[in-house]
Amino acid sequence: MTDKTQALRRPASDQPTTERSVPALAALQLSYRVVLRQLTSIARIIALTLLALVSTVAAFALGRSDADLEAAVRLISALGFAVVIPVVSLVFGGAAVGDLRDDKTLVYLWLRPMDRWPIVVGAFLAAVTLTAPITLIPVVLAAVLTGTGGGIVPGTIIAGVVAVIAYCAVFTLLGVWLRKVIVWGLAYILIWEGFIALGGAGVARFAIRKYTRSILVDRTGVDLDLADFSTPVGIIVPLAVAVVALALGSWRLSNQDID
Amino acid sequence: MTTLPPPAAPLAPPNPDALATNAMITVNEVSKFFGSIVAVSDVNFAIDGGVTALLGPNGAGKSTLFRMICGLTAPSKGSIRVLGSDPRTDRTVRGRISLVPQQDALFDHLSAIEMVQVSANSHAMPDPKGIAHWALEQVDLADVGAKTVGQFSKGMRQRVKVACALVNDPEVLILDEPLTGLDPVQRRHMIALFHALGDAGRCVLVSSHVLDEVARLGSRVLVIAQGRLVASGDYRDLRSLMDDRPLRIRIGASAPRRLGTALVERGLVTALSLDAHNGPGHLIVDTLDADGLGRKLAPIATELDIRLTEVSPLDDDLESVFRYLVEGR
């Protein structure tokens, strides 16, 4: 056992200053690394990869049946952009800060001399790091396997990247704000985007899916309902939503009670 | 503030006007409400360097008070200053505070050394690896630093939390039930560590609901019950107050009325009643001299040819101590 008087003598070079504060970039890296390790569960990654591969398998089957471009776009939109990317983003984005809140480890980042926004942005980037390869590779591969050409692959890449960023940011915000984020996130995906937002162009403006569909439609020329924005609008609005979501999440994290 | 019953050496009730403005922790008229539930009510105290124990039963408001002191939640009323700053809003003061939370929460996928290193990095410490090793040495975990904390026992996890709290050499160290799950050797070790920190001028505030722990933690005690600070002062005064309180004891006997009469006649009990809930053979007595009663009860029963079937204290628990402190009964 260490003698206490001796033990409490720290190396002189290690003595802290009273005005110590963590630079934003260092805080962001720390949050990113901690959350990435926290989110990286083999079982979760395998399960979500299998989900994402459903779109690949379906596209492969479609490609073998000589389907046209419209059918391919509808498939990518219905499976890739309506299910795979939102659900995987929900799992990782919602858990990014939400898991830290739920298991009460958030205090190890919160009660520190650092800004709040790097915690949220680092967590968001960790969610994107996992969501992007798990979703984009199978979905883009699906677009390739349809064998229809006609801009579906670049359209899927652009819309996919935009979707991953926007969904991860929104679900990171939900994880900061709400408990049971999976329930709320599924309600958003299934009820709002999958049902209510299909009711009209006005409501659809408040659904990320409308913008990703618009990019896909704009790049392929296929006519889908409720997808009438240009590619620049389809990119800028979801990215702006992502920025606002992260800003709101940072504000909320600064002001909420921490367990 | 509830007025204490008149003990031989009354504990000093904290006086709001006497709060030192330059104390390391100042809690001024602080209340915390969760809806209609009052978790903490009009608490005042100021403490400086050294070890101070916050004593209270489970649910008394200790953790809520600690969370407010650390800025994790804002008071509904009143103000808190830690090292002269508001811990809720002042970012830099958080680098001078450390908290060992009550909940058993750690990054389970990290090794102990990584966990403590994360803590050092999050305080912008130079040489986080060296600091992490040093901190683990303080809690006797240097040998198992490479193991993931998810594999650790509750006591080891508790010590990892303490190591995390040491990395920034905090001026104010808040420990919420830090001895939970530790074996007796480790308890002694931790208590020695807290005293060493206190002796080095750190403000160490430790909560516990175990009286004996508090006796070893320090002489300065804050007693909280039902969200209110009911007493503060020297532990020995508190102990004396507790020793002076009447004890209630249930006695099972073959002739309870005769036994009760004899006990009253010999001045061993101050109150007496028959215990109808436990059958006809029981009586409940209040005594100010539990030791004397314990020594003389058996000889008296023998003398009167009465068979004793039970002697058990009814209020020898912490809750009853607090009830006595708060309500005087």
Side-chain angles (χ1 to χ4, degrees):
Chain A
M1 187 154 305
T2 319
D3 172 66
K4 288 296 147 239
T5 315
Q6 186 69 28
L8 286 170
R9 285 192 201 129
R10 300 154 64 97
S13 59
D14 292 340
Q15 292 293 342
T17 64
T18 53
E19 292 299 318
R20 208 183 314 108
S21 152
V22 183
L25 188 59
L28 193 147
Q29 286 175 335
L30 182 71
S31 168
Y32 175 79
R33 287 203 311 269
V34 167
V35 174
L36 190 61
R37 293 273 306 260
Q38 186 97 339
L39 291 178
T40 307
S41 142
I42 297 298
R44 182 151 54 181
I45 288 171
I46 290 173
L48 293 173
T49 303
L50 289 174
L51 170 71
L53 285 173
V54 170
S55 64
T56 314
V57 172
F60 176 72
L62 189 75
R64 302 269 292 179
S65 64
D66 295 328
D68 60 8
L69 180 61
E70 182 175 338
V73 169
R74 284 187 184 282
L75 177 83
I76 297 297
S77 175
L79 274 180
F81 293 106
V83 177
V84 171
I85 292 177
V87 169
V88 176
S89 300
L90 169 61
V91 172
F92 288 120
V97 178
D99 275 7
L100 301 183
R101 266 187 63 190
D102 290 346
D103 67 17
K104 301 184 192 305
T105 50
L106 185 56
V107 68
Y108 295 110
L109 295 177
W110 198 96
L111 188 57
R112 296 295 186 261
M114 60 170 74
D115 286 330
R116 301 293 166 238
W117 70 263
I119 299 175
V120 174
V121 174
F124 156 75
L125 290 175
V128 169
T129 300
L130 289 169
T131 305
I134 288 175
T135 58
L136 293 183
I137 293 171
V139 172
V140 171
L141 186 60
V144 173
L145 289 175
T146 59
T148 52
I152 190 171
V153 174
T156 300
I157 292 171
I158 296 169
V161 170
V162 168
V164 166
I165 292 172
Y167 281 116
C168 280
V170 168
F171 293 136
T172 298
L173 168 65
L174 284 188
V176 173
W177 212 295
L178 304 169
R179 298 196 186 277
K180 297 180 181 168
V181 63
I182 294 290
V183 175
W184 288 104
L186 284 176
Y188 171 78
I189 294 167
L190 299 176
I191 299 174
W192 183 260
E193 289 208 333
F195 185 69
I196 297 172
L198 297 178
V203 187
R205 286 172 192 273
F206 300 101
I208 293 169
R209 197 196 305 181
K210 176 179 170 73
Y211 297 91
T212 55
R213 278 163 66 98
S214 293
I215 294 170
L216 204 55
V217 164
D218 198 38
R219 306 305 294 179
T220 58
V222 170
D223 187 24
L224 294 182
D225 291 340
L226 303 172
D228 48 4
F229 289 127
S230 66
T231 297
V233 172
I235 293 172
I236 291 168
V237 172
L239 294 186
V241 167
V243 171
V244 171
L246 295 177
L248 266 176
S250 304
W251 173 83
R252 174 67 181 168
L253 189 62
S254 300
N255 293 288
Q256 72 183 165
D257 287 357
I258 305 295
D259 289 331
Chain B
M1 174 75 52
T2 301
T3 306
L4 291 169
L11 296 171
N15 176 3
D17 299 330
L19 290 181
T21 52
N22 58 350
M24 295 177 87
I25 299 177
T26 307
V27 175
N28 191 14
E29 300 283 337
V30 164
S31 298
K32 181 70 182 180
F33 315 121
F34 295 105
S36 60
I37 297 169
V38 181
V40 173
S41 176
D42 285 327
V43 169
N44 286 287
F45 63 83
I47 54 175
D48 244 315
V51 180
T52 303
L54 179 65
L55 175 66
N58 290 325
K62 302 189 296 292
S63 294
T64 303
L65 189 56
F66 277 5
R67 288 175 61 221
M68 287 191 285
I69 290 172
C70 292
L72 297 172
T73 184
S76 307
K77 197 175 126 248
S79 66
I80 291 179
R81 286 283 178 275
V82 178
L83 302 169
S85 301
D86 180 351
R88 181 76 178 160
T89 56
D90 187 334
R91 188 180 69 173
T92 54
V93 81
R94 294 190 199 122
R96 302 161 69 189
I97 304 173
S98 272
L99 168 70
V100 174
Q102 184 180 22
Q103 57 265 24
D104 183 30
L106 291 166
F107 296 125
D108 285 338
H109 54 282
L110 298 181
S111 67
I113 188 79
E114 287 172 332
M115 175 79 214
V116 184
Q117 248 180 280
V118 164
S119 194
N121 280 320
S122 66
H123 278 290
M125 298 301 298
D127 186 19
K129 196 167 184 178
I131 290 278
H133 271 293
W134 172 86
L136 285 173
E137 274 176 14
Q138 307 312 302
V139 297
D140 277 354
L141 286 178
D143 294 344
V144 290
K147 285 190 179 173
T148 54
V149 294
Q151 300 173 313
F152 279 7
S153 67
K154 185 169 174 56
M156 293 167 84
R157 293 168 68 83
Q158 198 74 354
R159 285 146 65 195
V160 172
K161 288 194 290 182
V162 174
C164 288
L166 294 177
V167 292
N168 58 325
D169 197 12
E171 290 164 70
V172 172
L173 179 58
I174 310 289
L175 303 114
D176 198 353
E177 307 265 0
L179 305 179
T180 307
L182 299 184
D183 62 39
V185 173
Q186 284 304 332
R187 278 174 187 241
R188 277 200 301 276
H189 178 52
M190 279 298 163
I191 288 168
L193 176 62
F194 302 156
H195 281 298
L197 289 164
D199 293 344
R202 307 293 183 240
C203 176
V204 182
L205 183 55
V206 192
S207 76
S208 177
H209 65 276
V210 181
L211 279 171
D212 289 341
E213 261 178 24
V214 171
R216 284 180 286 156
L217 279 169
S219 61
R220 269 181 300 166
V221 184
L222 301 169
V223 184
I224 188 169
Q226 296 166 5
R228 298 157 68 196
L229 192 66
V230 293
S232 68
D234 193 285
Y235 174 77
R236 283 162 297 192
D237 294 337
L238 175 68
R239 186 78 244 185
S240 160
L241 176 64
M242 286 159 42
D243 290 343
D244 290 346
R245 78 196 162 103
L247 280 179
R248 183 160 290 184
I249 296 169
R250 183 168 57 221
I251 300 173
S254 55
R257 286 176 188 275
R258 223 157 29 94
L259 180 63
T261 305
L263 294 176
V264 171
E265 282 172 353
R266 297 175 199 211
L268 289 169
V269 298
T270 55
L272 173 147
S273 63
L274 288 173
D275 183 13
H277 297 296
N278 287 282
H282 290 82
L283 68 156
I284 292 174
V285 300
D286 286 356
T287 179
L288 289 169
D289 182 13
D291 287 343
L293 179 64
R295 277 196 312 274
K296 293 173 185 168
L297 182 60
I300 292 171
T302 307
E303 176 191 322
L304 299 177
D305 196 22
I306 294 171
R307 189 165 54 89
L308 294 174
T309 56
E310 179 188 0
V311 179
S312 51
L314 292 180
D315 55 2
D316 196 22
D317 57 275
L318 193 56
E319 295 293 336
S320 69
V321 173
F322 288 112
R323 198 165 55 242
Y324 177 66
L325 287 172
V326 175
E327 301 168 10
R329 65 178 173 82

